[in-house]
Amino acid sequence: QVQLVESGGGVVQPGRSLRLSCAASGFTFSDSTMHWVRQAPGKGLEWVAVLSFDGRNKHYADSVKGRFTISRDNSNNILYLQMNSLRAEDTAVYYCARDGVTFTWYGEYLDYWGQGTLVTVST
Amino acid sequence: EIVMTQSPATLSMSAGERATLSCRASHSVSSNLAWYQQKPGQAPRLLIYSTSTRATGIPARFSGSGSGTAFTLTISSLQSEDFAIYYCQQYNDWPYSFGQGTILEIK
């Protein structure tokens, strides 16, 4: 069965960096475009970034562009989110999610989600 | 950026009733719209994609319709497990975007 397990969250000071990981199993990771979505405490969902199955195409939300970098290791079935220059407003649960369409360069809907990892940006 | 607006913010209904949730896009998203259900402390779950296609394992009481800028999620006869928050998401243009959610609560 499809499993996505996020890790790397924690408490970090404003301006610092953090890298999230998402370990994937139960499907052919290298065939799947992957996404990061976040949810601030008590708030709705915010799409963050997408990376195509082959790592060639990526897009970001305006709120994180230039600060966050999405990447993947298809040999080890891991998705990453490098977060730099963190701000208080980046505090959220971060979910990785699989795209519902294989071999897509642009991404579509999200058919499987991890349980999320909490990032808290605070002094 | 395409802004997704859901209405109502909260819907109070009883089990067995029919629920209709709305989602509007600031620009056309064609049929590139999905619906998700989220329960407290859980990750979202995909319900509907491509406006009207049910995801694997989703009961037939869930249906989606619409096109362009106006979309609807209908739950034909509410079950106790359906009380949750529902989000729409457009994937027609980057950045992809979600609506703010509709809370479906027990009356």
Side-chain angles (χ1 to χ4, degrees):
Chain A
Q1 72 281 21
V2 173
Q3 275 202 306
L4 299 168
V5 180
E6 301 92 339
S7 61
V11 180
V12 61
Q13 293 180 328
R16 303 298 291 265
S17 299
L18 205 61
R19 188 177 79 160
L20 305 182
S21 300
C22 171
S25 61
F27 65 102
T28 305
F29 182 71
S30 57
D31 292 352
S32 291
T33 291
M34 298 294 295
H35 302 253
W36 286 100
V37 176
R38 68 184 181 183
Q39 186 169 36
K43 302 297 184 183
L45 302 171
E46 181 186 12
W47 178 84
V48 173
V50 62
L51 180 60
S52 62
F53 64 97
D54 58 0
R56 293 183 181 183
N57 277 293
K58 57 184 74 172
H59 293 269
Y60 298 93
D62 291 342
S63 58
V64 306
K65 200 175 295 182
R67 299 188 300 123
F68 289 12
T69 301
I70 188 171
S71 62
R72 64 193 298 158
D73 178 350
N74 281 351
S75 297
N76 291 298
N77 298 342
I78 303 175
L79 178 72
Y80 297 103
L81 186 67
Q82 177 67 43
M83 304 185 295
N84 299 332
S85 303
L86 282 161
R87 306 166 180 167
E89 54 266 33
D90 296 319
T91 294
V93 173
Y94 285 75
Y95 296 101
C96 74
R98 189 185 81 165
D99 198 274
V101 179
T102 52
F103 300 114
T104 173
W105 277 284
Y106 41 85
E108 299 199 16
Y109 53 91
L110 287 62
D111 66 348
Y112 284 94
W113 299 60
Q115 284 304 304
T117 187
L118 176 62
V119 173
T120 303
V121 183
S122 174
T123 55
Chain B
E1 177 177 338
I2 297 177
V3 177
M4 307 300 291
T5 303
Q6 292 184 240
S7 60
T10 303
L11 190 57
S12 299
M13 305 201 69
S14 301
E17 289 188 307
R18 179 185 184 92
T20 302
L21 288 67
S22 295
C23 175
R24 288 194 175 271
S26 60
H27 298 86
S28 175
V29 299
S30 186
S31 61
N32 297 315
L33 185 104
W35 290 93
Y36 302 86
Q37 176 194 68
Q38 188 178 33
K39 297 180 179 179
Q42 296 184 16
R45 178 175 72 144
L46 175 68
L47 297 175
I48 301 280
Y49 61 93
S50 298
T51 297
S52 59
T53 304
R54 279 189 303 278
T56 303
I58 301 303
R61 64 180 181 273
F62 290 91
S63 63
S65 62
S67 68
T69 61
F71 301 87
T72 300
L73 174 70
T74 301
I75 310 171
S76 60
S77 179
L78 285 166
Q79 306 297 303
S80 58
E81 61 266 30
D82 298 337
F83 293 94
I85 303 175
Y86 292 83
Y87 296 94
C88 61
Q89 177 229 343
Q90 68 83 16
Y91 50 94
N92 193 66
D93 272 321
W94 289 296
Y96 293 166
S97 47
F98 291 89
Q100 82 280 14
T102 289
I103 301 170
L104 180 55
E105 65 176 22
I106 300 175
K107 189 173 183 179

